[in-house]
Amino acid sequence: MPRPLNSNVPAFNLAISTLLRNPSLLVPNYTIPTFLQLPEDNLGSHLIPPSYFSSPSGNAKKHHFPPKIRALVIDKDNTLTPPESRIIPPAYMQKLKSLRTKPSSPFNMHKNPHGILIVSNTAGSDPNMPLYEEEAKHLESILSHLGIPVFRSGVPLKAVAPGQTTEAPPKHHPLKKPFSFPSILAHLRAQNAIDSPDEVAVVGDRLGTDVIMAGLMGSWSIWTQKGVTVGVEGDDEGREGMDFRGTLAKWEVRLERYLRRRGVAPAMPKGWEGGF
Ligand SMILES: [Mg+2]
């Protein structure tokens, strides 16, 4: 079945204007090759760059160190599955299982039932697209034993007062990453998963959507730089060393390196700016 074009032009435009105005938002707080390397213990301490401790004293939350991460917002395409696939490779599934069932994990499903949320720009991103809704349901069914839901983006239709006419029927505008962050935060707050945005880490493979969104949210960003590196379908099933990154994602790798060389530091959540 041909998939709808998902070019996400508004996100691209935002990435370019951010690059010019606030490049810090494009630099991740922490980089890992793939989701498999996500630290299961002391995640918060990995999010603080070593330089933080040598910089002049700021208004850092000294007494709260390391940051306490209570919720993970995880991307789907090329973070948990190869892009446009519904199949989570076994090792990635095992990683989710470990995060959800290890007694010491802060995301243990019994201690923290709403601690993991999948937020995709395909699955669950548009209730008007049956394919995306079906994908979200499929993911939730294969992850139901781990209690991991897929975020549904979408603004409820506005009621029109009796007698009032509109030029066109009110349109449904579901927002995609990075613009959907207010509703993601509201969702996590409503479930008592978090009290403040600096308790969230966004995990994803793209600077222009996942990393920027973490910065806009006032949360932490974890960049899965290589995406998913194992095949799941056809002759590639189980094959290691795959690279599913597209042109934009590869360009982002060079951009990130360039920004770091120029001394651009990652954006820090509110209250964590400055050093100790
Ligand atoms: Mg992705």
Side-chain angles (χ1 to χ4, degrees):
M1 192 194 314
R3 295 180 59 98
L5 188 66
N6 186 34
S7 58
N8 205 352
V9 169
F12 182 78
N13 290 342
L14 179 71
I16 296 298
S17 66
T18 300
L19 181 58
L20 302 173
R21 286 190 204 178
N22 189 358
S24 286
L25 287 173
L26 283 158
V27 180
N29 294 111
Y30 186 52
T31 300
I32 47 180
T34 75
F35 177 64
L36 300 180
Q37 286 79 37
L38 185 78
E40 292 182 27
D41 300 304
N42 300 318
L43 177 59
S45 63
H46 292 85
L47 303 173
I48 303 283
S51 60
Y52 194 75
F53 297 95
S54 54
S55 56
S57 177
N59 59 351
K61 291 179 175 174
K62 290 176 193 178
H63 306 295
H64 295 278
F65 183 84
K68 188 172 158 62
I69 304 303
R70 296 172 62 196
L72 288 179
V73 165
I74 308 178
D75 171 49
K76 173 199 165 276
D77 290 292
N78 218 17
T79 297
L80 288 181
T81 71
E84 305 188 358
S85 170
R86 296 172 168 217
I87 303 171
I88 301 177
Y92 293 66
M93 192 62 121
Q94 189 56 42
K95 180 74 180 179
L96 285 173
K97 188 177 173 196
S98 175
L99 288 166
R100 256 351 218 157
T101 58
K102 251 177 54 176
S104 63
S105 170
F107 312 105
N108 178 289
M109 60 193 285
H110 302 294
K111 286 189 243 165
N112 184 1
H114 305 293
I116 296 187
L117 181 65
I118 293 176
V119 181
S120 170
N121 270 355
T122 57
S125 68
D126 189 343
N128 299 319
M129 304 261 275
L131 177 65
Y132 289 171
E133 184 50 30
E134 200 202 309
E135 276 182 356
K137 288 201 178 110
H138 173 78
L139 278 175
E140 286 179 336
S141 75
I142 60 173
L143 293 169
S144 62
H145 63 298
L146 301 178
I148 300 177
V150 176
F151 180 71
R152 300 301 206 282
S153 186
V155 188
L157 288 171
K158 272 196 186 138
V160 177
Q164 191 182 336
T165 54
T166 49
E167 300 259 324
K171 250 192 152 181
H172 194 99
H173 286 296
L175 294 174
K176 291 189 186 260
K177 289 184 286 186
F179 306 103
S180 51
F181 71 90
S183 50
I184 298 168
L185 277 180
H187 175 86
L188 292 170
R189 279 201 165 106
Q191 294 188 307
N192 282 324
I194 58 160
D195 293 317
S196 65
D198 67 341
E199 293 170 324
V200 180
V202 178
V203 186
D205 66 305
R206 292 294 311 282
L207 302 183
T209 53
D210 304 303
V211 170
I212 284 189
M213 184 172 80
L216 295 173
M217 267 169 107
S219 303
W220 305 90
S221 55
I222 300 176
W223 186 33
T224 52
Q225 194 201 48
K226 292 180 189 292
V228 169
T229 57
V230 57
V232 291
E233 278 166 271
D235 290 345
D236 290 335
E237 189 178 335
R239 186 174 289 172
E240 309 271 351
M242 303 288 291
D243 189 343
F244 295 107
R245 289 173 294 184
T247 313
L248 262 180
K250 284 181 176 162
W251 177 77
E252 286 181 346
V253 171
R254 287 160 56 194
L255 172 69
E256 197 264 356
R257 212 180 297 144
Y258 170 81
L259 291 174
R260 286 206 187 266
R261 270 206 311 268
R262 295 285 300 262
V264 178
M268 301 289 273
K270 194 159 179 260
W272 291 92
E273 313 92 330
F276 278 92

